[in-house]
Amino acid sequence: MKNILLTLTTLSIVLAACMKIEEPLIIENIEVQAFSMPNADVTLTAAIISKTHKVTSAVLTLNEQEITLTKNGDIYTGVLPGQNNGVVATWTLSVINSEGRKSQRTGTVTWILDYTKLVLNEISGEHKFVEIHNSGEVDINLEGVRLQRNHGPAFGGSEWVGTATDIIPAGAYRLFLFNSFTPADLATNPAYVGWTVNSGISDQQILKIAIVDPTGVEIDLFIRGDVTTSVFGESVSGRERNYSYSRMADGTWANALPTPGAANGAKEKDIENPGYSTTSPVATFHYSRLILNEVSGNNKFVEIYNPTAFPVSLNGVKLQRNGGASEWVGTAADLIPAGAYRLFLFNAYTPEDLATNPAYVSWTVGSGISSGQILKVAIVDPTGTEVSTFIRGDVPLPAWGATAGVTQNLTDTYSRMSDGTWAFAAPTPGAANGPKLSEITSPGYLTAQP
């Protein structure tokens, strides 16, 4: 019996020696940085274990681009090159050992900044600061992000623009000081890191503050003022020296005690006279203040005037003749400065004194206007609303272009007077109008379409 047992044991040993023992090829403990800012490199590490056979090949790729790996014992490390904001890339780690066994792992890396986690949290016109909060769980690089006051420089406002070194940590608050206003308690506040805007803000004025992402999208905004036809900078009643405009836990805004660099306190009172808005005003916010100022059928020009304290973009604005029979349409490059006059020439009519006039910037309408015809000229905002009109003709109004019964004045222009009425006055292209010389007669004029 013992001999049989011995034989069986010996046979078991022989069989075990002849059998091929499978050993696993293991890729484990893979670590990839959970978040990456745009253009920042990402480190990937992995443990690659082959117990008895040597690892002969370990290849890491990012979107099929091979990445160099370094080895320290069983730990392999590769650096995935940074990508632009918005990129989601796939990495693959492929391993082969000397026995020919293979193993592979894949995953993705995201280079997307969620700018929507940035929120306006507190605004103080009295102490000249704006506080933003990173409500997310990752740091946010502010390169290309703007903090704008009153629509930014294109509209007479101002802005701060972030650089590659400007970062707001997860959960942190940051202060922006306006007009270099740095009282000791703010200048030494840990939430202030030198970010300043070179203009002031006031708790006595219509005000807009917005966070704008690098693509130009407003991701958060606060507007002091609930009337969309107001102009930024206009004075308001209801000044509150003791309180900030503060975001409450439910997302609404109220007056609360200042808490720069920290969570806001409880609501003290509602924002009044006027209230506030978190929706950007419609186009007429600015365009409604543009006015027709002078119309010359003799010298074929129309003059418009911007009486506000802010430049106005004319992108999408139309200057129309005779209800749209011909028109000029503004582009993103067309701007009328604060307090400025601008000339539009009709039918490419460019006499020397107008072609060189500083108020003429090559804006032309491809048709003529006449001092001997029924005529309508209108400024039309991008929504299609007429914001200023002049009509040569009284009720009942003949067809545009009619000449019967029209008395011509070949010397003077149709000019807006200081009281808003129209009269004949000496031409003053590019400048304030002169005094009334005579009434517009036979027919008269209208300032609204009948």
Side-chain angles (χ1 to χ4, degrees):
M1 187 70 175
K2 290 183 179 179
N3 291 335
I4 295 174
L5 289 175
L6 179 59
T7 302
L8 290 175
T9 303
T10 304
L11 179 61
S12 298
I13 294 173
V14 172
L15 289 174
C18 294
M19 289 178 62
K20 186 175 182 180
I21 300 176
E22 299 288 336
E23 62 146 331
L25 175 58
I26 302 172
I27 303 176
E28 62 182 7
N29 298 332
I30 299 176
E31 294 184 5
V32 182
Q33 287 173 264
F35 172 80
S36 179
M37 294 178 291
N39 301 309
D41 293 343
V42 173
T43 300
L44 180 149
T45 60
I48 302 175
I49 302 170
S50 184
K51 292 183 177 179
T52 60
H53 292 80
K54 182 180 179 181
V55 173
T56 57
S57 174
V59 177
L60 175 65
T61 61
L62 183 71
N63 283 359
E64 300 183 354
Q65 174 190 353
E66 187 169 336
I67 308 299
T68 301
L69 284 169
T70 59
K71 181 178 181 297
N72 183 9
D74 292 333
I75 305 301
Y76 290 74
T77 302
V79 178
L80 308 177
Q83 307 293 311
N84 293 330
N85 188 40
V87 171
V88 179
T90 299
W91 59 263
T92 301
L93 179 59
S94 301
V95 179
I96 303 174
N97 69 9
S98 58
E99 192 187 16
R101 292 178 61 81
K102 299 178 181 179
S103 187
Q104 189 177 83
R105 297 287 187 274
T106 62
T108 60
V109 182
T110 300
W111 280 271
I112 296 179
L113 280 174
D114 186 3
Y115 295 110
T116 63
K117 298 300 183 183
L118 297 173
V119 295
L120 293 169
N121 199 57
E122 186 176 352
I123 298 167
S124 172
E126 175 68 17
H127 296 295
K128 317 300 183 192
F129 75 81
V130 169
E131 177 189 78
I132 66 172
H133 174 50
N134 178 359
S135 63
E137 298 180 354
V138 297
D139 298 353
I140 297 180
N141 186 294
L142 301 183
E143 183 175 13
V145 173
R146 289 170 164 78
L147 182 73
Q148 287 188 337
R149 162 189 163 271
N150 294 350
H151 278 320
F155 292 91
S158 53
E159 68 182 9
W160 173 91
V161 183
T163 69
T165 61
D166 296 315
I167 297 171
I168 179 167
Y173 298 87
R174 283 292 181 265
L175 300 178
F176 294 78
L177 299 187
F178 282 69
N179 205 23
S180 300
F181 187 79
T182 54
D185 59 338
L186 291 183
T188 59
N189 190 305
Y192 175 60
V193 293
W195 296 344
T196 60
V197 182
N198 293 323
S199 62
I201 56 176
S202 172
D203 58 357
Q204 285 185 293
Q205 296 178 343
I206 301 297
L207 171 71
K208 176 182 177 183
I209 299 293
I211 301 173
V212 182
D213 76 13
T215 69
V217 174
E218 290 180 346
I219 57 176
D220 197 21
L221 59 88
F222 169 84
I223 297 171
R224 171 67 192 272
D226 48 12
V227 180
T228 58
T229 55
S230 299
V231 171
F232 295 131
E234 285 189 344
S235 297
V236 297
S237 59
R239 185 175 193 181
E240 294 292 351
R241 287 184 176 274
N242 296 323
Y243 301 129
S244 294
Y245 306 129
S246 301
R247 184 189 292 270
M248 299 291 99
D250 62 359
T252 62
W253 288 78
N255 285 130
L257 292 173
T259 58
N264 294 338
K267 173 180 174 179
E268 297 288 339
K269 58 182 295 187
D270 288 326
I271 300 170
E272 301 173 344
N273 302 320
Y276 75 94
S277 171
T278 55
T279 301
S280 188
V282 296
T284 52
F285 192 93
H286 289 288
Y287 305 128
S288 62
R289 300 306 180 95
L290 295 175
I291 58 175
L292 293 168
N293 200 56
E294 191 172 352
V295 178
S296 173
N298 301 315
N299 293 316
K300 318 297 183 192
F301 74 80
V302 169
E303 178 190 78
I304 66 172
Y305 175 50
N306 174 14
T308 75
F310 300 95
V312 176
S313 169
L314 300 185
N315 190 22
V317 173
K318 296 177 173 67
L319 182 71
Q320 289 186 338
R321 161 191 164 270
N322 292 349
S326 58
E327 67 183 14
W328 172 91
V329 183
T331 70
D334 297 314
L335 189 80
I336 179 167
Y341 300 85
R342 282 291 182 264
L343 300 177
F344 294 78
L345 299 186
F346 283 67
N347 203 24
Y349 186 78
T350 53
E352 184 177 355
D353 58 338
L354 292 183
T356 58
N357 190 305
Y360 174 58
V361 291
S362 300
W363 295 345
T364 60
V365 181
S367 62
I369 56 177
S370 171
S371 60
Q373 295 179 343
I374 302 299
L375 171 70
K376 175 183 178 182
V377 177
I379 300 172
V380 182
D381 76 18
T383 70
T385 302
E386 292 181 358
V387 297
S388 185
T389 62
F390 169 79
I391 297 173
R392 170 69 191 270
D394 48 18
V395 180
L397 185 66
W400 304 125
T403 59
V406 176
T407 300
Q408 284 189 274
N409 183 331
L410 298 176
T411 303
D412 304 319
T413 62
Y414 309 124
S415 302
R416 182 190 291 269
M417 299 292 100
S418 58
D419 63 357
T421 63
W422 287 76
F424 280 119
T428 58
N433 295 338
K436 178 199 299 187
L437 296 180
S438 63
E439 299 290 344
I440 302 170
T441 58
S442 305
Y445 77 93
L446 298 169
T447 54
Q449 186 169 0

